[in-house]
Amino acid sequence: MNKLFFGTILMLGLALSVSACQQPQSKRMESISTSQNALEKQTDQYRISVRLPNPPLKAQAEAYTLQLHNLKTNQPVEALPEVKVEMPMGNTPMIAPTTLKKTATPGEFQVNTEFTMSGDWTLQVKPVQAAEAITLTLSVQ
């Protein structure tokens, strides 16, 4: 009887710990594509394209281009999105100073970021009407 009881408790604990480790399923569909000088990410509502300089990003002040397109309206997004660039570092991420301005092309923005060290940085782009930011990873040499 004790073996059956402890076995049941053990299996129940194992099942709970496995379910706690699983990531919740997101309702949004995302796809990511990369090439040497560009990144693109698409959700159910937006497509974000980032054109990177050649040679690749370095730990210094860099300029690159962000394009934002609303897939539901099939129109470029004209309003400046919120943009944040940071490097995860434990509980306190390192935030890179970043400015954003429109270019002459609708839905296109020039991003200027001061990368203070090499590594993977996250670029978070939140269109004005979006509920949450869309994140891409920038590799800095």
Side-chain angles (χ1 to χ4, degrees):
M1 179 78 165
N2 281 342
K3 286 183 182 180
L4 179 60
F5 176 73
F6 288 119
T8 302
I9 295 297
L10 181 62
M11 291 303 287
L12 180 60
L14 181 61
L16 287 173
S17 64
V18 167
S19 67
C21 292
Q22 292 178 344
Q23 296 292 326
Q25 293 293 330
S26 175
K27 291 183 181 180
R28 348 181 246 147
M29 297 291 294
E30 290 186 351
S31 65
I32 302 172
S33 62
T34 60
S35 70
Q36 186 175 6
N37 295 331
L39 295 171
E40 185 174 287
K41 188 166 188 179
Q42 184 170 313
T43 67
D44 59 344
Q45 185 167 358
Y46 296 100
R47 181 178 59 244
I48 294 177
S49 301
V50 179
R51 286 195 323 259
L52 303 170
N54 189 15
L57 296 172
K58 299 222 182 294
Q60 61 188 19
E62 289 280 12
Y64 47 99
T65 305
L66 171 72
Q67 293 178 319
L68 190 54
H69 193 85
N70 186 323
L71 298 172
K72 292 193 176 187
T73 63
N74 200 27
Q75 296 292 318
V77 175
E78 302 261 358
L80 283 173
E82 291 179 30
V83 173
K84 185 176 179 182
V85 180
E86 63 184 23
M87 176 182 269
M89 300 189 91
N91 291 335
T92 308
M94 181 183 303
I95 298 174
T98 302
T99 60
L100 182 74
K101 67 179 181 180
K102 288 183 178 185
T103 69
T105 305
E108 184 176 275
F109 309 93
Q110 180 180 336
V111 185
N112 295 295
T113 302
E114 178 74 36
F115 294 105
T116 54
M117 64 187 298
S118 59
D120 287 339
W121 291 77
T122 58
L123 168 64
Q124 300 171 29
V125 179
K126 185 178 181 291
V128 173
Q129 300 298 323
E132 58 187 42
I134 302 162
T135 303
L136 297 123
T137 300
L138 302 175
S139 293
V140 175
Q141 299 178 0

